[in-house]
Amino acid sequence: MNAFKCLYGNHAVGNLNNLLSVVADAAETGNLDQLGPHIRAGQEHYAAGDSADDILAQMFDTFVTLSRRTGEEVELKERTEGLSTTDLRKLVLGEVKNRFRGLYNQSFHDKPISLTDPVNNEKRRYDLPIFRQPKLGSGTTRFASIISAFVKTDINRAYHLDRGALTLLNARDVLKQTGRSEGAFFILRPHEGAPGFDEPVMNKIDDDIDTAIFHFRHDKHFHFEVFDDPKILTEYAIDYAS
């Protein structure tokens, strides 16, 4: 009960223990249709998913209504205020962690990673939410940045786009000295009709995106993708990091 206690407190743990006792007693006597006014039991169904974590996450979304997950709160905020780079990454990394724990541990990072420049043996930290090195030093190293341009403030938006582009350029220069590598830039822009994002704002956002990706246009080992849906961006990020 420790994880449940952290989420909902001692009182909720008592309620859950009571629920488990009621269900256990009813199952033994075959009276699952008489659990009580706040407890429902239906026919057994098969559970399917890529992993046990994936199956449990789906069941949680469907049946547990004690609270709303952080990701859902961010999505509600996104509809009216835009979506910051920090919140976008929380959505993406949270989804990957729930669905593909092994891939998350191998390829996704919520903190900057350290890379060593082989020329001067100098270590530097790079803000790369996706970074995957091949096993045993063979194959291709993949790295990517995830940035939201779904932001109304010009200065804030341009800063994050430029910072993301500069980080990718610096990481590329270091990694190309150590072997094969390829990079990607995943950018979220507002969807058409987003509240508060009229045509002049959308045009400015597209200009900022074009400026940020200019340096990568002719690099065959680099690609960029622009999305207007965080869920689609997440699926592309998963595919790229796999």
Side-chain angles (χ1 to χ4, degrees):
M1 293 294 179
N2 286 339
F4 196 87
K5 179 180 178 181
C6 290
L7 289 172
Y8 306 117
N10 287 323
H11 178 69
V13 170
N15 288 337
L16 180 59
N17 274 318
N18 181 60
L19 168 63
L20 295 177
S21 297
V22 170
V23 173
D25 293 342
E28 289 182 1
T29 60
N31 295 321
L32 285 173
D33 57 340
Q34 301 177 15
L35 291 175
H38 303 298
I39 306 173
R40 292 183 306 164
Q43 295 296 317
E44 293 179 336
H45 296 280
Y46 289 105
D50 294 325
S51 66
D53 286 341
D54 182 31
I55 294 170
L56 292 174
Q58 294 178 38
M59 294 174 65
F60 185 92
D61 288 344
T62 303
F63 297 110
V64 178
T65 59
L66 288 174
S67 70
R68 185 181 299 277
R69 291 192 305 168
T70 301
E72 293 173 327
E73 292 173 351
V74 169
E75 289 180 345
L76 291 174
K77 178 182 177 183
E78 173 268 333
R79 296 176 188 172
T80 57
E81 302 178 14
L83 190 65
S84 69
T85 293
T86 299
D87 284 343
L88 173 61
R89 291 184 179 184
K90 285 181 180 178
L91 277 175
V92 175
L93 270 65
E95 181 70 12
V96 177
K97 189 174 183 179
N98 283 335
R99 293 169 53 191
F100 307 105
R101 182 62 64 89
L103 177 64
Y104 174 85
N105 292 335
Q106 186 175 30
S107 302
F108 288 83
H109 308 269
D110 59 1
K111 296 180 180 179
I113 64 169
S114 293
L115 296 178
T116 302
D117 190 330
V119 174
N120 53 24
N121 203 35
E122 181 180 353
K123 281 189 176 182
R124 291 188 177 181
R125 296 179 67 78
Y126 296 84
D127 181 24
L128 297 170
I130 298 176
F131 183 81
R132 177 169 183 168
Q133 286 183 311
K135 294 181 179 179
L136 302 178
S138 61
T140 301
T141 298
R142 288 189 170 186
F143 62 100
S145 185
I146 299 173
I147 299 293
S148 176
F150 196 166
V151 181
K152 292 181 181 179
T153 307
D154 291 347
I155 295 177
N156 184 288
R157 179 178 60 248
Y159 168 76
H160 281 94
L161 285 169
D162 291 345
R163 182 184 177 189
L166 181 61
T167 298
L168 290 169
L169 286 170
N170 290 337
R172 180 188 64 179
D173 291 343
V174 170
L175 291 170
K176 71 181 181 181
Q177 302 175 58
T178 60
R180 290 182 298 172
S181 65
E182 64 178 66
F185 202 174
F186 298 113
I187 301 172
L188 180 73
R189 74 185 289 274
H191 54 82
E192 296 297 331
F197 291 82
D198 55 20
E199 184 175 354
V201 175
M202 294 290 282
N203 290 337
K204 185 62 172 67
I205 289 173
D206 289 338
D207 288 343
D208 289 342
I209 292 174
D210 287 341
T211 299
I213 63 179
F214 175 79
H215 299 287
F216 309 106
R217 288 186 180 276
H218 303 295
D219 189 337
K220 64 180 181 180
H221 299 296
F222 198 95
H223 71 274
F224 56 88
E225 302 282 354
V226 181
F227 308 89
D228 61 8
D229 186 336
K231 294 181 180 179
I232 298 177
L233 186 154
T234 300
E235 295 305 319
Y236 269 77
I238 291 172
D239 183 66
Y240 179 77
S242 299

